[in-house]
Amino acid sequence: MDISALQKVRYGYKPKLPASLSGSIGDIAIETGAATEAAVDRDKLKDIFKLSYGKPLVTFTGGKNDKLSRELKVGVILSGGQAPGGHNVIAGLYDGLKSGNAQSTLYGFLNGPSGLINNKTAILTGEIIDTYRNTGGFDIIGSGRTKIETPQQFAASLETAKKLALNAVVIIGGDDSNTNAALLAEYFLEQGSDIQVIGCPKTIDGDLKNEYIEASFGFDTACKTYGELIGNLMRDANSSKKYWHFIKLMGRAASHITLECALQTQPNVCLISEEIEHRQYSLDTVVDMICDSIIKRAENGSNFGIVLIPEGLVEFIPEIKHLIDELNDTIARDEETFSNITSFIDQLYWLSSRISESSYRLLESLPPDIGREFLMDRDPHGNVQVSRIETEKLLVGTVEKKLQILKAAGAYKGKFSALAHFFGYEGRCAFPSNFDSDYCYSLGYSAFVLIASGLTGYLSSVRNLTAPAHQWIAGGVPLTMLMNIEHRHGAQKPVIKKALVEMDGSPFRAFTAMRDTWALETCFRVPGAIQYFGPPEVCDEPTYTLKLEQGKQI
Ligand code: FBP
């Protein structure tokens, strides 16, 4: 890739570290707490993680430590969807390793966990690292979604790690990848190996968080990037006063991104999937919620506005969820026959005698282009790929239909012209904000300290994130502490619990306190582009979500 002026300058940005990690390498001591427990399913988890369950929480402090100068060989994996800051985790890990011992080696496993299974690596040199500092993307080594699942894959992973004489493997990933990290740590111990496994919390979706992991990296930059785009559309809408913009935002099942963007920009309507499921709202009710704002704003002469829609919405609307479940089961039972039916009409006919009448009617009532999306190729687990369903267009179509009916009945006199957008991939590889640059570098550096201290089965953790970086608290959280047992694909499995938007959480409460006003008035807020240079209150500001969760003013 060619180098832009911003990139050149960002190479030189020195990420801020917590005070405990900023001194010389011999001055980082570790403080160990008492043994930990998972919140639920303790006995089952103890049984699965016989050798790694219940380790203590670890915090880094100042003090003497001679362990950090050992020569180490470490392999690092980027797993799953891209998130801004991944390169800085690797840079932090590299700098930690090299300041501990200049002879240490960092391997990058290529294209995700499959690089570990198939022993595909690159040695990461200082020269390579320097051309990726403070940049977005995962292109330094590539990413992938392979899971280490089968006994053969576990065995192959250990074989690779042994061949490379690794001391540790670092997995940078979301809830599923870090579940994998926990299982791999246990497997290595079972096999009598002392190769350690450390995780780092990544995902723009923001759904890997709990008492000990305050935020997953990438959420900050992705939300700020979408916030900028939404703010620009708001200003455009407020200038021409003729369009309603329906904007779907990435985030898979969780609505954290949508909620954060709403807090940043103050749209007229913002749908939160978790609330819709909680209140069991039907598609009709959701459409009414949007129409209500459109009608009232039209009465005030405002035929424009902004609607934010979370990516996973359709799976949270009860009758659509039921339809999706029935389609997944029915198609899985006779996949071969179904895959040979090519036209939508014939697919509908085939399904008519196989799914419930209510689901059939719903599928038939959808605009054909959208209906077809429910029948597209399934993912490897046989599920519909919800992210490919154009919910934003579905809502534009259904809202338009409803408004026509209301117009005919004299209940709506405005003009409705809508545009649909999907903001997702645009935010995943942006230049990391200063927050993500600092946070990621600190996570990587902490991962090094955990490894050099001989720990395994830990997630690198940096807390107190709304304070200035030097006051951040770095350490490690035992992965087994974050797990519970869930029913996944027909079996009981240990997994890290996904954090969804909580109805009694302060970000959601801050939003509900304001949303009625936003629905009627034009209260748009335009955040502008991420700033990398300038006053700290602009450049280092954490997300509204994080501030509210930590009891701070927004
Ligand atoms: P991760 O959970 O792996 O970080 O992925 C996040 C995400 O960007 C989701 O928001 C989105 O639904 C999904 O990845 C898209 O996946 P893909 O990159 O495979 O199209």
Side-chain angles (χ1 to χ4, degrees):
M1 276 199 217
D2 217 349
I3 301 167
S4 66
L6 177 64
Q7 185 159 323
K8 216 182 260 172
V9 176
R10 286 303 281 175
Y11 284 155
Y13 175 76
K14 295 267 170 272
K16 301 183 271 297
L17 276 170
S20 61
L21 300 177
S22 317
S24 80
I25 211 79
D27 294 333
I28 306 172
I30 72 163
E31 221 170 67
T32 305
T36 57
E37 289 274 17
V40 290
D41 303 322
R42 291 176 182 168
D43 290 341
K44 286 183 189 161
L45 290 166
K46 269 181 206 164
D47 201 43
I48 298 167
F49 296 97
K50 288 194 175 65
L51 302 170
S52 56
Y53 183 86
K55 291 172 184 260
L57 277 168
V58 154
T59 310
F60 306 143
T61 58
K64 289 289 154 219
N65 190 347
D66 54 10
K67 272 191 176 167
L68 306 193
S69 53
R70 278 190 298 145
E71 181 186 341
L72 294 167
K73 285 194 171 65
V74 174
V76 64
I77 300 171
L78 288 165
S79 181
Q82 286 73 257
H87 289 157
N88 268 29
V89 179
I90 297 181
L93 175 61
Y94 177 88
D95 288 351
L97 279 168
K98 290 290 181 181
S99 48
N101 187 315
Q103 302 310 313
S104 290
T105 311
L106 181 60
Y107 291 92
F109 287 109
L110 303 181
N111 304 320
S114 64
L116 173 63
I117 298 169
N118 302 321
N119 195 1
K120 298 273 185 252
T121 59
I123 290 188
L124 296 172
T125 61
E127 235 170 296
I128 297 174
I129 297 284
D130 285 350
T131 56
Y132 287 94
R133 289 182 190 274
N134 307 301
T135 60
F138 278 5
D139 41 328
I140 186 169
I141 47 173
S143 183
R145 290 198 183 276
T146 309
K147 275 188 195 158
I148 304 169
E149 270 174 329
T150 64
Q152 293 77 4
Q153 289 172 326
F154 276 97
S157 302
L158 180 56
E159 205 183 308
T160 302
K162 278 185 176 167
K163 264 190 198 151
L164 296 171
L166 294 185
N167 296 93
V169 174
V170 175
I171 299 182
I172 302 173
D175 50 340
D176 281 345
S177 310
N178 279 299
T179 296
N180 242 211
L183 290 165
L184 202 61
E186 177 71 17
Y187 176 78
F188 285 178
L189 290 171
E190 272 169 13
Q191 300 302 308
S193 161
D194 59 0
I195 301 170
Q196 303 153 241
V197 184
I198 299 295
C200 283
K202 171 234 68 165
T203 178
I204 61 161
D205 299 350
D207 57 6
L208 172 49
K209 64 175 168 184
N210 47 55
E211 199 184 333
Y212 302 96
I213 301 297
E214 295 177 359
S216 56
F217 78 76
F219 177 73
D220 185 273
T221 309
C223 289
K224 285 173 179 163
T225 306
Y226 304 139
E228 180 200 354
L229 298 175
I230 297 164
N232 294 351
L233 281 179
M234 286 175 160
R235 198 142 249 169
D236 195 275
N238 199 28
S239 305
S240 63
K241 305 199 186 327
K242 61 179 180 184
Y243 294 124
W244 273 86
H245 293 277
F246 283 54
I247 306 163
K248 184 174 76 174
L249 293 157
M250 230 181 209
R252 212 182 280 271
S255 307
H256 297 295
I257 291 181
T258 303
L259 179 56
E260 168 65 23
C261 288
L263 293 167
Q264 283 181 23
T265 62
Q266 309 189 163
N268 305 104
V269 181
C270 169
L271 305 172
I272 298 296
S273 303
E274 291 84 340
E275 180 186 26
I276 285 160
E277 182 179 58
H278 176 73
R279 298 188 192 281
Q280 291 285 290
Y281 283 163
S282 65
L283 178 59
D284 232 28
T285 311
V286 171
V287 168
D288 284 348
M289 280 161 69
I290 302 172
C291 287
D292 196 48
S293 170
I294 295 173
I295 294 166
K296 289 189 177 136
R297 282 176 61 76
E299 282 163 8
N300 294 338
S302 298
N303 287 299
F304 64 93
I306 300 286
V307 181
L308 300 188
I309 304 154
E311 183 181 26
L313 177 72
V314 286
E315 278 200 307
F316 288 77
I317 298 177
E319 73 270 28
I320 304 189
K321 177 161 182 11
H322 186 65
L323 165 66
I324 291 173
D325 289 347
E326 279 197 71
L327 289 175
N328 287 344
D329 287 352
T330 310
I331 295 172
R333 271 198 300 273
D334 209 347
E335 214 172 343
E336 212 182 314
T337 315
F338 188 76
S339 65
N340 288 323
I341 310 175
T342 45
S343 90
F344 181 54
I345 300 286
D346 291 341
Q347 287 175 327
L348 276 181
Y349 178 72
W350 187 83
L351 287 164
S352 62
S353 57
R354 290 172 170 84
I355 57 175
S356 64
E357 199 188 328
S358 56
S359 288
Y360 179 75
R361 295 231 166 286
L362 175 59
L363 182 62
E364 194 195 32
S365 71
L366 299 174
D369 282 355
I370 307 287
R372 240 176 247 127
E373 288 167 358
F374 282 80
L375 307 180
M376 280 182 315
D377 292 346
R378 304 341 244 179
D379 71 9
H381 302 293
N383 299 321
V384 65
Q385 299 183 51
V386 209
S387 63
R388 290 174 59 193
I389 296 174
E390 293 171 295
T391 325
E392 66 286 16
K393 291 191 183 154
L394 169 68
L395 288 176
V396 167
T398 39
V399 163
E400 200 156 33
K401 244 193 208 169
K402 186 78 184 241
L403 290 174
Q404 276 161 7
I405 297 169
L406 292 170
K407 199 166 224 173
Y412 168 61
K413 297 188 173 51
K415 279 191 209 137
F416 179 69
S417 182
L419 294 169
H421 313 261
F422 171 39
F423 298 154
Y425 298 96
E426 295 83 347
R428 296 201 314 183
C429 287
F431 275 101
S433 60
N434 284 356
F435 175 88
D436 270 328
S437 294
D438 300 344
Y439 180 41
C440 290
Y441 189 81
S442 304
L443 285 171
Y445 210 96
S446 299
F448 152 70
V449 181
L450 293 170
I451 295 166
S453 308
L455 299 167
T456 189
Y458 277 78
L459 191 57
S460 174
S461 132
V462 177
R463 294 187 285 141
N464 199 26
L465 293 172
T466 52
H470 68 274
Q471 291 173 24
W472 289 355
I473 300 162
V477 181
L479 281 158
T480 57
M481 188 184 185
L482 310 176
M483 310 203 80
N484 69 166
I485 303 286
E486 286 179 23
H487 194 77
R488 296 259 179 110
H489 313 299
Q492 295 284 100
K493 298 240 166 103
V495 289
I496 295 179
K497 202 169 158 44
K498 227 181 230 320
L500 297 179
V501 170
E502 287 172 6
M503 298 297 93
D504 57 355
S506 28
F508 183 71
R509 281 192 281 116
F511 159 67
T512 52
M514 295 307 299
R515 70 172 155 191
D516 290 346
T517 312
W518 298 349
L520 291 188
E521 293 165 24
T522 301
C523 306
F524 300 159
R525 185 154 61 194
V526 180
I530 296 175
Q531 300 297 305
Y532 299 96
F533 307 98
E537 68 272 22
V538 178
C539 298
D540 297 339
E541 195 190 14
T543 58
Y544 286 66
T545 303
L546 198 51
K547 285 209 251 182
L548 287 163
E549 282 172 349
Q550 300 196 354
K552 302 271 159 52
Q553 292 293 319
I554 60 168

